[in-house]
Amino acid sequence: PKVVNNEKLDIGSKGVFCRCWKSGTFPLCDASHVKHNEATGDNVGPLIISVPKPKVVDPVAKIGKINSQIDLDSPKVVNNE
């Protein structure tokens, strides 16, 4: 049978997933890889996935930056042919 895990992570959180297949909480990591690595000389560790918080853009500051880039003193030539 096919086994599928679909984990949904919240914004600002992280998931730590087993890659050694030894975890008692599979698919989540329980640090069983530490003993596995000591016994086998391997160097496996968990897969860590993080969901960053969205970057908040201050709309007032953004408009101010755009406005500061507009040169109102120099003439503009518009060609609408």
Side-chain angles (χ1 to χ4, degrees):
K2 186 175 185 178
V3 177
V4 176
N5 292 88
N6 186 2
E7 302 289 333
K8 185 174 182 178
L9 300 175
D10 294 327
I11 293 174
S13 68
K14 69 179 179 178
V16 183
F17 300 96
C18 176
R19 293 192 304 164
C20 73
W21 294 89
K22 305 290 182 188
S23 174
T25 59
F26 193 85
L28 302 177
C29 176
D30 68 357
S32 292
H33 60 274
V34 174
K35 285 184 182 179
H36 167 78
N37 289 344
E38 290 172 358
T40 64
D42 204 349
N43 190 25
V44 70
L47 167 67
I48 301 173
I49 300 175
S50 60
V51 182
K53 293 180 181 177
K55 183 178 177 183
V56 178
V57 177
D58 181 357
V60 175
K62 189 161 182 83
I63 290 171
K65 184 177 180 182
I66 293 169
N67 285 342
S68 69
Q69 295 173 355
I70 298 172
D71 184 2
L72 299 175
D73 295 329
S74 61
K76 304 290 185 266
V77 176
V78 179
N79 189 353
N80 291 329
E81 293 181 10

